[in-house]
Amino acid sequence: MSKLIPLPFERPIVDLESQLEQLEQQLGRSPQLTDAVRQMRVELQRLTREVYENLRPWEVVSVARHTNRPQALDYVELIFDEFVELHGDRAFGDDRAILTGFAQLDDQKVLFVGQHKGRNLDERITHNYGMAHPEGYRKALMKMQLAAKYQLPIVCFIDTAGAFPGIGAEERGQAYQIAYNLREMSRVRTPIVCVVIGEGGSGGALGIGIGDHVAVLQYAYYSVISPEGCAGILWKHPKFADKAAEALRFTAPDLLKFGVIDEVVPEPLGGAHRDHRRMAITLKGTLLHALKQLKSLPLDELLNRRYDKFRRIGQFEEQHATTAESSAAS
Amino acid sequence: MTPPAEGQTPTPPDVPAPQLSGEPQRRKRGVPEGLWLRCDACGATVFRKQVEQGLWLCPECGHHFYAPAAARIQQLLDTDSFEEWFADLAPCDPLGFADKRPYRDRLKEEQRKTGLTDACVVGRGYLRGRPLVFGLTDTAFIMGSMGSVVGEKLTRAIERATESRLPLVIISGSGGGARMHEGIFSLMQMGKVSAALARFHESGGLFISVLTNPTMGGVAASFASLGDIVIAEPKALIGFAGPRVVKSTIKMPLPPGFQTSEFLMAHGFVDRIIARPDLRPEISRLIDYCVR
């Protein structure tokens, strides 16, 4: 992989890495250095672990947004044996922010839906930084309904700062289309696995996020609003984004603790951007495992479980009952 | 059961507003204090009492002022027919959220100010003799934003409407969308309410969604947009992203009338724009076409 641009908190790791590199170059001439190299490698591991175990939420956001972080199309190459892209929403156009198509996952055929931000400037412009318009959500839902027709399970990779806030998006019904996706995804009759691989930005993420199994990568985040947006409203300036990130409790371990997601997918030491291949292997394992379990359920039960999964979420007080994370039905 | 003539005043103005989980102690946001009001639209100075005893409209130009939950219920439903459900659901603070001040304090203040426990009221009522499940979000309470209580109340109401096979009318007034202070819980309410509406839809239920000023973000992007019939009050602000966000993203001036009811109707997302005095007869007429 090409040289990574270090994040501010990665500075000590990068420094140690370059020291180690220097040492290794000298190694050829003086064999007595090997012990020092070994020690330094251990130290590097320890340091990386220490830094990554103590990331603050705002630092997690910077990992989730890292330019070298693997994106949907990276995973398409690393996880799936084949990808047959299906374009277009049959109404307006082909939104490149959300990619959809058939994919081969080992011996299973699935439908892949993924938000792709773009790995270089050209891609980012083509894919609109992963921020979809209504036609993207419409396309995603259409292909999901196609998948259900032929009993293909669905894999959704979520990675967006949010649905695009523009004039065209509003004219073409961004709010309506996301709402419609939420309603219809809740009753798509085939297993759906959703994974937040980077940014889970609000309604734009949820628009392809109503699934039977919802996983979030260790350094991804899933939030009702971007930390900058929240800071702009509540702290009156986006520069307080770190404070907002702290307050919103949107990191994967918190989401799991709240019972909002089903699984945190561990990332390689030092984040997915350091080792795409290893991340892909772990993620593939997650998908296979989740799909195996979901496919064993009768469809009616699957849909009832999907309903209950979202039905349960919410915390409030009820005077008759005690404090409750709500149970089903009234 | 015969509907009265079109355009008739929905309820006599002297009927007291229904009691909703406590009395407001102070005037609500968006309505200045005092005997007189200045109309945002035409600039006329109007007598507050005249506005409040009517339908919270400007007597000069018909501008739709914000109307609080109790007034909405009184305006729309038959006198004393509303039975509130789940009034004992109260918000808590699942994240331990604090910005410049703790969410818990904010909740207390909003409760004191509005007399509501949260931004949503649901229940059962009659509209010109037609039974229905009714819900509303009140923009005075943290911008009518949807947290766990709003999501839960609406979901329960929708489930009851499904079981009892009653039509559902929800009036949205939610400038705040999904409530930030409850983080991911708020976002997930969008999925929860929408899934409940999917079941209601499958069971053949009629949902009439009434959009009022303002309906934005996560509320617009969930239940508010999912009506079988979508009605908007005139000149309401309705949309997904806030106009300021759109403006700062595209770095261009916004077209005139952007994200108004009229804009939405022109682009195909609203069935009818109906002025407040006509909501009652219009909704009852729509129900009669769909419900037998």
Side-chain angles (χ1 to χ4, degrees):
Chain A
M1 207 192 313
S2 58
K3 203 103 180 121
L4 295 178
I5 302 152
L7 299 167
F9 58 86
E10 288 182 316
R11 191 55 76 185
I13 300 174
V14 176
D15 289 346
L16 196 61
E17 270 174 347
S18 59
Q19 280 178 40
L20 180 64
E21 214 170 293
Q22 277 177 9
L23 207 59
E24 279 171 331
Q25 275 169 4
Q26 296 165 18
L27 188 69
R29 278 162 281 152
S30 46
Q32 69 272 30
L33 275 174
T34 46
D35 265 359
V37 167
R38 199 172 299 122
Q39 244 171 27
M40 201 176 270
R41 281 186 187 150
V42 172
E43 171 60 15
L44 182 63
Q45 284 239 342
R46 193 200 59 77
L47 182 70
T48 312
R49 183 163 293 120
E50 186 189 296
V51 167
Y52 267 79
E53 272 172 2
N54 294 297
L55 289 186
R56 296 173 51 242
W58 179 238
E59 293 168 335
V60 171
V61 172
S62 63
V63 178
R65 292 174 178 168
H66 199 291
T67 42
N68 293 99
R69 190 171 176 84
Q71 299 186 12
L73 281 178
D74 295 307
Y75 290 122
V76 162
E77 280 170 35
L78 292 168
I79 292 178
F80 300 97
D81 299 325
E82 187 177 65
F83 179 52
V84 185
E85 189 173 358
L86 299 171
H87 298 265
D89 71 333
R90 306 294 191 276
F92 182 81
D94 181 37
D95 192 330
R96 306 303 296 148
I98 298 181
L99 308 174
T100 56
F102 296 133
Q104 188 79 33
L105 177 67
D106 280 356
D107 57 348
Q108 296 184 67
K109 292 179 169 65
V110 303
L111 177 85
F112 175 83
V113 175
Q115 288 164 330
H116 186 73
K117 289 178 169 177
R119 294 162 290 193
N120 52 49
L121 189 59
D122 279 354
E123 268 197 18
R124 281 193 269 277
I125 291 166
T126 306
H127 297 277
N128 198 33
Y129 297 80
M131 294 187 284
H133 284 72
E135 49 271 22
Y137 294 100
R138 194 183 300 115
K139 171 171 82 171
L141 180 64
M142 259 187 121
K143 309 308 177 199
M144 289 188 215
Q145 288 165 337
L146 170 71
K149 189 174 168 190
Y150 300 105
Q151 287 102 48
L152 297 178
I154 298 165
V155 171
C156 295
F157 280 8
I158 295 166
D159 190 11
T160 184
F164 188 69
I167 292 175
E170 296 290 327
E171 284 174 340
R172 301 197 289 278
Q174 190 76 285
Y176 168 74
Q177 191 58 47
I178 289 174
Y180 188 68
N181 274 36
L182 302 184
R183 189 181 87 179
E184 293 306 310
M185 265 189 95
S186 77
R187 58 189 194 129
V188 166
R189 293 180 67 82
T190 190
I192 305 176
V193 177
C194 302
V195 186
V196 181
I197 58 170
E199 290 189 272
S202 193
L206 194 66
I208 58 165
I210 307 294
D212 303 295
H213 186 86
V214 179
V216 177
L217 300 197
Q218 192 177 359
Y219 304 118
Y221 79 100
Y222 198 179
S223 178
V224 65
I225 186 170
S226 72
E228 291 89 343
C230 181
I233 297 168
L234 294 180
W235 280 265
K236 309 294 175 206
H237 199 286
K239 73 181 176 195
F240 298 109
D242 59 334
K243 288 202 169 97
E246 212 83 43
L248 285 164
R249 309 277 303 273
F250 53 39
T251 61
D254 270 342
L255 300 171
L256 186 69
K257 200 168 75 191
F258 292 147
V260 169
I261 61 168
D262 300 292
E263 185 183 0
V264 176
V265 185
E267 297 193 16
L269 184 62
H273 56 282
R274 284 173 195 278
D275 196 340
H276 288 200
R277 199 163 293 277
R278 183 176 285 186
M279 185 68 250
I281 291 168
T282 313
L283 185 49
K284 185 174 180 176
T286 297
L287 297 179
L288 289 171
H289 184 73
L291 285 175
K292 192 176 167 197
Q293 293 204 315
L294 296 174
K295 281 168 89 171
S296 69
L297 297 171
L299 279 180
D300 285 336
E301 192 187 332
L302 183 82
L303 261 66
N304 283 336
R305 283 189 181 204
R306 192 184 301 162
Y307 186 83
D308 291 339
K309 177 180 164 55
F310 287 88
R311 181 68 189 82
R312 273 197 319 271
I313 300 176
Q315 284 189 13
F316 46 81
E317 283 158 14
E318 198 165 10
Q319 274 155 23
H320 293 321
T322 43
T323 309
E325 188 161 342
S326 84
S327 54
S330 47
Chain B
M1 291 287 269
T2 349
E6 297 294 323
Q8 185 185 322
T9 317
T11 34
D14 54 344
V15 175
Q19 294 275 321
L20 292 172
S21 28
E23 271 294 279
Q25 308 203 338
R26 195 172 77 71
R27 283 290 156 211
K28 291 167 188 172
R29 182 185 293 166
V31 186
E33 310 283 332
L35 274 174
W36 301 90
L37 278 179
R38 193 178 161 82
C39 173
D40 308 331
C42 68
T45 304
V46 295
F47 194 35
R48 170 188 293 281
K49 214 164 186 181
Q50 193 184 358
V51 170
E52 293 183 2
Q53 284 184 346
L55 294 161
W56 299 65
L57 301 171
C58 171
E60 300 294 322
C61 71
H63 170 70
H64 287 50
F65 288 108
Y66 152 77
R72 282 275 179 200
I73 291 166
Q74 185 193 2
Q75 289 167 11
L76 196 70
L77 300 180
D78 298 347
T79 308
D80 291 337
S81 74
F82 184 66
E83 167 201 324
E84 193 183 351
W85 290 340
F86 319 120
D88 56 338
L89 283 191
C92 60
D93 178 18
L95 309 185
F97 191 95
D99 46 271
K100 286 182 167 171
R101 66 195 165 125
Y103 177 47
R104 276 185 189 279
D105 294 355
R106 192 183 291 266
L107 282 173
K108 280 199 197 97
E109 193 193 316
E110 296 281 321
Q111 286 165 343
R112 189 179 52 78
K113 198 180 70 183
T114 61
L116 302 168
T117 46
D118 205 314
C120 177
V121 177
V122 298
R124 178 195 156 105
Y126 287 82
L127 195 157
R128 289 187 158 178
R130 294 151 188 83
L132 47 81
V133 172
F134 177 76
L136 64 79
T137 57
D138 187 328
T139 204
F141 194 102
I142 317 187
M143 291 304 284
S145 56
M146 175 161 64
S148 296
V149 169
V150 175
E152 182 69 18
K153 275 191 173 181
L154 289 172
T155 304
R156 287 187 189 184
I158 295 162
E159 285 175 341
R160 278 206 181 168
T162 311
E163 285 158 26
S164 53
R165 311 194 71 81
L166 286 176
L168 172 71
V169 175
I170 299 178
I171 300 187
S172 306
S174 294
R179 188 177 298 167
M180 290 175 283
H181 314 73
E182 293 182 27
I184 195 72
F185 290 101
S186 302
L187 184 68
M188 294 298 152
Q189 301 310 306
M190 295 166 61
K192 174 164 123 180
V193 180
S194 302
L197 283 171
R199 290 193 164 181
F200 181 67
H201 177 68
E202 276 175 0
S203 78
L206 169 69
F207 172 28
I208 298 177
S209 177
V210 183
L211 313 178
T212 71
N213 186 45
T215 299
M216 301 296 293
V219 167
S222 62
F223 64 90
S225 290
L226 291 174
D228 295 294
I229 298 166
V230 180
I231 291 169
E233 284 190 343
K235 301 196 176 85
L237 180 73
I238 304 162
F240 178 68
R244 264 182 310 174
V245 176
V246 176
K247 203 173 169 184
S248 73
T249 306
I250 61 171
K251 296 174 179 71
M252 279 198 306
L254 301 174
F258 184 60
Q259 295 182 320
T260 56
S261 309
E262 292 72 17
F263 172 92
L264 262 85
M265 188 151 96
H267 287 97
F269 295 97
V270 163
D271 288 292
R272 292 174 74 76
I273 293 175
I274 299 176
R276 204 171 287 166
D278 299 329
L279 278 179
R280 231 171 99 84
E282 283 270 0
I283 292 174
S284 70
R285 181 163 73 163
L286 291 169
I287 290 175
D288 288 346
Y289 272 98
C290 303
V291 176
R292 55 193 83 234

